[in-house]
Amino acid sequence: MTIFDRCLLRQRRDRAARHTGAIPSLFAETNERLAERLEDMARGFPQALDLGCRDGALASALRGRGGIDSLVQCDLSPSMARRAAETGRPTLVADEEALPLAEHTFDLVFSSLALHWVNDLPGSLLQIRRCLRPDGLFLCAMFGGGTLHELRTAWLQAELDVEGGASPRISPFVDIRDAGNLLQRAGFALPVADADTLSVSYPDALTLMRDLRTMGESNALHERRRTPTRRETFLRAAAVYAERFGRADGSVPATFEIVYLTAWAPHPDQQRPLAPGSARGRLADVLDSPEVSAGDAAAPKPRR
Amino acid sequence: MTEEKSGVDPRLLEILVCPLTKEPLEYDAQAQELISRKARLAFPIRDGIPIMLADEARQLDD
């Protein structure tokens, strides 16, 4: 199933790579939070991969954390990859939907806000798991379902008001409740998903839209409308946005829900539940308390 | 570590496989290409960056 136009996404990222200077703060913040998770890890991850590296910002955010000897960078966009390669790290261009990486290569794979444009997320996760060594770690941040909900509402209303019909404007994002299942389906062990909600302030909705374009994150939906949007519709969307979500000081909020996923490639030494009935001691003994029967659950039902 | 500015990082050559068949690649240092015989594709290396996209690869026609 094709949801996203990957070719268009590549062009968007190529264009975004030309914007130098300040890293958009959302990416910087997310990279920092991903890197922080490595501080809790007792072990090092010598061989690491940054999948969807954009301009290579994650590498500098790591600042020595994670015990990484070599970080390979990978992006869909050749222009982004060229910028990331300026850091001197090995860099390649690849599609997250068809990874060109040998099995059992990495101790750690990062993906920071890149997998939300993938058509076949279970397929990509499976390929990521395969390129991890046993007991390798997958650390991922992706946009969750609450992301840009204000903009979604504003576009829907504006297109109905001005043009009498709606078209898909904002991507479908992953639901945190599905994320753990997806990881498990891809063969990962010990999956954990949690989410952060960030609210970014913009002077108005048009500035938000321009910012998304600069980041290379504007609409790449396959079913998007192919005709240019009328100026009137843009202005109506901005007006609806301000009416519904505007703050007292005239600014508007934009919600970004960031879902963090942590999962491991399976390894025999990992913790796992024991088989039911395999206990060799009584819980009451461990707790040093008298054993109280919870009732005889196995008793046959009384006949009436 | 010594790295030629134009050459590809040897670490990449060790870990790359064909994105379609997942089989090992042949490195053509002269042409700066990574060749997948089975997929009949030659992936270009530009400025030391392997471009592992099927639609950027050269079709092999022998």
Side-chain angles (χ1 to χ4, degrees), chain A residues 142-201:
Chain A
M142 56 197 299
F143 290 111
T147 301
L148 294 175
H149 72 88
E150 302 94 344
L151 192 58
R152 196 190 296 271
T153 304
W155 267 122
L156 186 67
Q157 189 61 49
E159 282 193 312
L160 286 173
D161 288 355
V162 179
E163 315 201 8
S167 68
R169 291 279 180 178
I170 310 293
S171 301
F173 297 113
V174 73
D175 189 298
I176 185 167
R177 282 165 298 187
D178 300 330
N181 289 339
L182 282 172
L183 289 167
Q184 228 146 14
R185 237 175 87 191
F188 281 102
L190 312 169
V192 177
D194 56 273
D196 264 342
T197 300
L198 304 174
S199 186
V200 182
S201 232

Side-chain angles (χ1 to χ4, degrees), chain B residues 6-28:
Chain B
S6 57
V8 63
D9 193 307
R11 280 172 292 181
L12 285 178
L13 298 179
E14 285 168 24
I15 61 172
L16 288 180
V17 296
C18 172
L20 306 179
T21 67
K22 310 285 183 195
E23 301 215 1
L25 299 159
E26 285 169 38
Y27 174 45
D28 183 341

Side-chain angles (χ1 to χ4, degrees), chain A residues 176-224:
Chain A
I176 185 167
R177 282 165 298 187
D178 300 330
N181 289 339
L182 282 172
L183 289 167
Q184 228 146 14
R185 237 175 87 191
F188 281 102
L190 312 169
V192 177
D194 56 273
D196 264 342
T197 300
L198 304 174
S199 186
V200 182
S201 232
Y202 283 93
D204 52 61
L206 295 175
T207 315
L208 164 65
M209 290 182 223
R210 202 174 313 130
D211 207 24
L212 291 172
R213 226 175 1 251
T214 310
M215 283 152 63
E217 296 289 331
S218 48
N219 194 355
L221 285 166
H222 192 260
E223 297 295 321
R224 73 192 178 280

Side-chain angles (χ1 to χ4, degrees), chain A residues 3 51 67 73 126 192 213 247:
Chain A
I3 304 166
L51 192 58
Q73 304 177 120
L126 188 71
V192 177
R213 226 175 1 251
R247 297 199 180 101

Side-chain angles (χ1 to χ4, degrees), chain A residues 62-289:
Chain A
L62 286 171
R63 296 193 307 275
R65 282 176 280 192
I68 295 163
D69 294 335
S70 157
L71 180 71
V72 174
Q73 304 177 120
C74 175
D75 202 272
L76 176 66
S77 146
S79 304
M80 280 292 187
R82 205 167 302 128
R83 280 192 59 191
E86 288 167 12
T87 61
R89 293 184 179 81
T91 305
L92 67 132
V93 171
D95 190 330
E96 288 94 349
E97 296 184 358
L99 287 182
L101 300 161
E103 274 191 47
H104 302 171
T105 300
F106 297 103
D107 302 295
L108 171 61
V109 174
F110 291 104
S111 168
S112 184
L113 300 180
L115 289 180
H116 57 289
W117 287 119
V118 160
N119 283 304
D120 176 15
L121 187 56
S124 287
L125 292 175
L126 188 71
Q127 295 186 49
I128 290 167
R129 203 257 296 149
R130 286 198 181 132
C131 77
L132 278 168
R133 294 194 175 126
D135 209 26
L137 173 64
F138 177 45
L139 258 186
C140 169
M142 56 197 299
F143 290 111
T147 301
L148 294 175
H149 72 88
E150 302 94 344
L151 192 58
R152 196 190 296 271
T153 304
W155 267 122
L156 186 67
Q157 189 61 49
E159 282 193 312
L160 286 173
D161 288 355
V162 179
E163 315 201 8
S167 68
R169 291 279 180 178
I170 310 293
S171 301
F173 297 113
V174 73
D175 189 298
I176 185 167
R177 282 165 298 187
D178 300 330
N181 289 339
L182 282 172
L183 289 167
Q184 228 146 14
R185 237 175 87 191
F188 281 102
L190 312 169
V192 177
D194 56 273
D196 264 342
T197 300
L198 304 174
S199 186
V200 182
S201 232
Y202 283 93
D204 52 61
L206 295 175
T207 315
L208 164 65
M209 290 182 223
R210 202 174 313 130
D211 207 24
L212 291 172
R213 226 175 1 251
T214 310
M215 283 152 63
E217 296 289 331
S218 48
N219 194 355
L221 285 166
H222 192 260
E223 297 295 321
R224 73 192 178 280
R225 228 180 62 173
R226 309 288 170 129
T227 50
T229 302
R230 280 150 58 181
R231 184 180 153 74
E232 200 186 340
T233 318
F234 267 109
L235 295 177
R236 179 73 193 132
V240 171
Y241 204 117
E243 271 166 36
R244 294 252 197 124
F245 308 105
R247 297 199 180 101
D249 64 358
S251 71
V252 295
T255 300
F256 292 91
E257 185 191 359
I258 316 283
V259 175
Y260 292 91
L261 306 175
T262 310
W264 301 80
H267 186 275
D269 289 349
Q270 279 164 351
Q271 51 182 308
R272 70 184 73 195
L274 294 170
S278 62
R280 269 173 288 165
R282 290 167 1 136
L283 185 61
D285 293 343
V286 178
L287 299 174
D288 196 22
S289 70

